[in-house]
Amino acid sequence: MAKGKLTFADIDVSVNVPAGTRVIEVSEKVGAGIIYGCREGDCGTCLMKVEDGMENLSEPTVLEDKVLKENMAGKDMRCACQAQIIGEGEVKIKPA
């Protein structure tokens, strides 16, 4: 199974994770500063800034895209509860 590298810039921790893993799952395990409310992509609490590797994340769902627009999120922002690691690339993030 393909593994990607996820780096949390706020705590300077990198983790290799299987493709398909949601960012929020890893954030909880390593103690990163991403908070969340619903885990369903509806509240926008878990916004994160993608500093590098946006191409290594799943495309936003229609619901996530709506939440991003409602929160006036920049093009480098995603919801950690919805974004999944894809492929074998590296993604560097931090809380929004």
Side-chain angles (χ1 to χ4, degrees), residues 23-51:
V23 172
I24 197 66
E25 295 169 10
V26 183
S27 175
E28 289 176 311
K29 290 179 182 175
V30 300
I34 299 173
I35 57 171
Y36 63 92
C38 68
R39 290 183 69 105
E40 301 296 323
D42 197 34
C43 72
T45 304
C46 65
L47 286 177
M48 63 179 184
K49 180 177 181 178
V50 180
E51 293 186 335

Side-chain angles (χ1 to χ4, degrees), residues 2-95:
K3 288 194 174 198
K5 182 177 180 181
L6 181 56
T7 299
F8 295 90
D10 60 325
I11 59 172
D12 196 28
V13 169
S14 295
V15 181
N16 291 320
V17 297
T21 302
R22 293 186 190 275
V23 172
I24 197 66
E25 295 169 10
V26 183
S27 175
E28 289 176 311
K29 290 179 182 175
V30 300
I34 299 173
I35 57 171
Y36 63 92
C38 68
R39 290 183 69 105
E40 301 296 323
D42 197 34
C43 72
T45 304
C46 65
L47 286 177
M48 63 179 184
K49 180 177 181 178
V50 180
E51 293 186 335
D52 193 31
M54 183 71 83
E55 68 278 5
N56 297 314
L57 291 174
S58 59
E59 291 292 321
T61 63
V62 173
L63 178 59
E64 181 185 2
D65 198 42
K66 176 181 172 258
V67 170
L68 293 170
K69 288 177 183 171
E70 287 173 353
N71 286 280
M72 295 182 279
K75 63 181 181 174
D76 59 349
M77 307 287 278
R78 291 292 305 271
C79 292
C81 72
Q82 297 299 298
Q84 295 179 22
I85 305 299
I86 58 172
E88 296 179 356
E90 183 174 356
V91 179
K92 185 175 183 180
I93 61 163
K94 68 179 185 180

